[in-house]
Structures are given as C-alpha cells and as structure tokens.
Amino acid sequence: SLLSVLVIVMLMSTAAIAATDALARAVLIAKSSNSRAETFWVARGAANAAASRLTDLMKVTEGVLNLESDLLSNPVTLPAGRGMVVLQAQEASNCFNLNALIDEAGDGGVSENALAPFETLLVAAGLNNAEAQSLGQKLADWVDADFSSRTYGAEDGYYASQAEPYRAANTQLRSISELRSVAGFDADVRSRVEGLLCLRPGREQSVLNINTLMPAQAPLLVSLFSGELTEDDARSLIESRPTGGWLKVDDFLAEDVVNRIAPDARNEAALSIKSSFLAADMDIGTGDLVTGYQALYQRAESGDVALISLVRREF
C-alpha cells in the first residue's frame, strides 16, 4: 500500500510539474502575443501620426525634395503610448512600378508601352537584349490574365513541370519577392534589379524625382529615354547634379547629353523635382522590446500624405 501511495504521489508530482511548465509557457506566449499586438497598434497609430507630420513638412516645400532636405536627412521622433517611435523618411518615388505592366483597359492584358521600358531597364542593369526580352515576356505571361505563352514566355505548362509544381499567377504581383517564382528571375537577375523595381498603387509609371536619384538608379533614367541615354551618361548626370539639385525639370532637360535626344524618345512626363512617395523605417520602442516596421506613404496632388502600407521590417 505504501509503495502504491509513493507511486501515486510521484505520478501526481510529475503531472503537477508538467502542468506548471505548460502554464508558464502559455503565460509567456500570451505575454509575447500581447506585446506584439501592442507594438503593432502602437506602430499603426504612430504611422498615421507620422502621415500628419509628413503632410506639414511636405507642404512647406510643396513636395520639392532633394538629398540635402531636412526631411530625408534627419530622423523624426514621436511619442507613442508607453514608448517612442524613431522615424527616418526615405525617397520612394524612384523605381519602376511593375503594376504599370497591366494594361489600364481592364482586360487583364499587358501594356506594351510599359513592357518596352522595362526591358530597356533590364539592359541598363547589365543584361543583354536577348535576356531582357526573354525576362520581359516571362513576367508578362506571369501577370497577364490569359493562359497563352508568348514566344519566350512561360505559362502553367512550364511551372507545372518543375520539381515542385505550381501555376502562373495571371494577375498583378502581390510583392516584389514574388519575382522568385517567375521563370528566369534567378538570384543574379534579382540582385541586378534590386532597388530599381517596386509596386505602387495604380497602373501609372512612377514619376522620378531627379534630385533624389542615386547613381545606382541610373538605369531608371535610361528606361525613360528609350535607351538613347546610356547608363554611363545617366550615372554621370546624377553624380554631377548641382548642389541642391536642378531648380526645374527644364534645367535637367537642357543638359547636353539629354538635350540631344529626340523629343519622341523622352518620357518627360515621368520626371519631376517633387516626391510622390516616401518610405519610412520606424523603430518602435515599448518597454524592453524594440521592433522595426516600414511604412509607405503617398503624397496626393492636394499635398496630403497618406499611409499606404505598414509591414514589419525583417533583419
């Protein structure tokens, strides 16, 4: 009887320890979950508050920004709940909007007027003409609504033959990382176009701010001039930009290497000295936890800045 009692006590003790351990883990998970949820909503509130601050700052300059602008140079600190948010604004207008590949007609087709500049961009990024054409057609097949493969494209038949079969999206991209799934867009290609491609609301091509372009973004200028502007000339233009930037777009167009290009080969409407999109890295401090988020903002013609998206930043 005594032995049976001891066995029962031992089993009950083991069960009690296991239950206590499980309860402790559950409490820890609950605290962690609550902390993450609190951090997200703090980030959301701070991002919306930052939109108001950015609206005020952008209205002072009427949207005109250059690399020396205080908004891009100095971080903004905002109180948020029991912590604080440190926000660093960045130019986000200077990229090729892949959503522009979808024809605005609404039939799910691809705009050839956007596909040609995309292929020009790929060439300026270091690919040859054949590679650029092939990649352009493969991406066109990925986003268009039909199931017919282009000459150098790829549709369901190709993707179904892979070791892990899948299908073409046949709709616009959800994120830039989706390019990993598109035929031909291997690690080398993605590294060449890193920082040049983006997804923006609407199907219009992004308007570049010529005063915030970085030398590595020279291929974006090349694509706007139908390849008539070389990558070296585009890079030289950016590197020799006047202090404070060009005062107006006409001053940029008057530069020798640009002025000699035929007007028909220029997409002047996609050039500006104003910024239409801003990104902001946000570090949210709540208690002992610091979490990074990235917010994307759009500036409307009215001057108001609105939050477009908020995602957790991966390190």
Side-chain angles (χ1 to χ4, degrees), residues 149-264:
S149 178
R150 296 171 177 243
T151 304
Y152 303 108
E155 281 284 0
D156 285 351
Y158 171 82
Y159 298 111
S161 67
Q162 301 305 298
E164 296 183 5
Y166 57 101
R167 302 177 64 181
N170 295 126
T171 187
Q172 68 183 39
L173 296 170
R174 293 166 297 178
S175 70
I176 291 297
S177 63
E178 191 177 335
L179 287 176
R180 297 169 184 248
S181 301
V182 181
F185 284 83
D186 56 25
D188 177 63
V189 171
R190 296 197 306 273
S191 68
R192 290 177 183 273
V193 297
E194 185 176 3
L196 300 177
L197 307 180
C198 63
L199 297 175
R200 297 290 180 260
R203 294 176 180 172
E204 302 81 22
Q205 194 45 262
S206 301
V207 177
L208 306 183
N209 183 341
I210 54 178
N211 287 332
T212 56
L213 281 168
M214 303 298 289
Q217 296 172 318
L220 293 170
L221 278 180
V222 177
S223 70
L224 294 185
F225 289 89
S226 307
E228 296 297 321
L229 180 68
T230 68
E231 198 272 340
D232 286 341
D233 283 343
R235 183 179 292 269
S236 178
L237 272 172
I238 296 171
E239 292 175 340
S240 62
R241 181 171 48 212
T243 303
W246 291 281
L247 297 180
K248 51 185 184 296
V249 173
D250 287 343
D251 293 341
F252 170 81
L253 296 175
E255 296 281 356
D256 288 340
V257 293
V258 179
N259 188 46
R260 63 178 179 233
I261 299 173
D264 291 345

